[in-house]
Amino acid sequence: MPDPTAAFEAERPRLLRIAAHLLGDPTEAEDVVQQAWLRWDAARSTTDIANLPGWLTTVTTRLCLDRLRQRLPMPDADLETELADTVGAPDPADDVALADTVGVALQVVLDRLTPRERVAFVLHDTFGFEFDTVAAVLDTNAAAARKLASRARAKVAQPVPEDALADWEVVDAFLA
């Protein structure tokens, strides 16, 4: 029988990527993956899990859904950021600042989505999961999962309100 810890550790990087994309916070993603480990550790003695990657993906995603449902909306004032005009040679620090801004902008866009829309969008459009798999994670059918992803795509494609992100040129570039 393969080492259970090694089997989980082989899945950990993928689970962390999924949780980080869904939650937008690597630290919170670590917490969720650790909770998935605890649930798997408790379940493996009583349940025969035939598809460990699928089971762990489902548990991790559902834990993320629970966390997303508990979150309070972030005030727009916390998201205001100004980009400095660059003059002269490119500065590596500017690239880091731009990457951070794009990450925040992506989070602003994802925050427009309901937790179920976010899960459908991230799992299907970012990680390429089939709608049958997304439906199983969301405890619905494939048509409903497809509709959730479609609604999410439509919301993501909507322009960001200027009053909320007036100086965020990078958001427009990201959406384009």
Side-chain angles (χ1 to χ4, degrees), residues 14 18 51-59 61-62 65 116 119-124 127-146 148:
R14 185 180 59 80
I18 290 170
N51 180 358
L52 180 62
W55 191 91
L56 288 171
T57 299
T58 300
V59 169
T61 304
R62 288 183 179 170
L65 265 173
R116 293 172 60 84
V119 167
F121 179 74
V122 169
L123 288 183
H124 181 266
F127 288 97
F129 282 87
E130 297 295 324
F131 284 116
D132 290 334
T133 305
V134 174
V137 168
L138 293 172
D139 199 24
T140 189
N141 60 47
R146 194 174 293 110
L148 286 167

Side-chain angles (χ1 to χ4, degrees), residues 94-170:
D94 293 339
D95 292 341
V96 171
L98 180 61
D100 287 344
T101 303
V102 170
V104 171
L106 176 60
Q107 193 60 43
V108 168
V109 171
L110 288 177
D111 281 345
R112 292 189 201 170
L113 308 178
T114 66
R116 293 172 60 84
E117 288 171 343
R118 183 186 283 201
V119 167
F121 179 74
V122 169
L123 288 183
H124 181 266
D125 291 14
T126 304
F127 288 97
F129 282 87
E130 297 295 324
F131 284 116
D132 290 334
T133 305
V134 174
V137 168
L138 293 172
D139 199 24
T140 189
N141 60 47
R146 194 174 293 110
K147 184 65 176 176
L148 286 167
S150 174
R151 286 183 189 148
R153 276 186 228 101
K155 286 181 181 179
V156 167
Q158 291 174 354
V160 177
E162 286 188 33
D163 60 329
L165 301 169
D167 296 323
W168 281 42
E169 296 162 346
V170 76

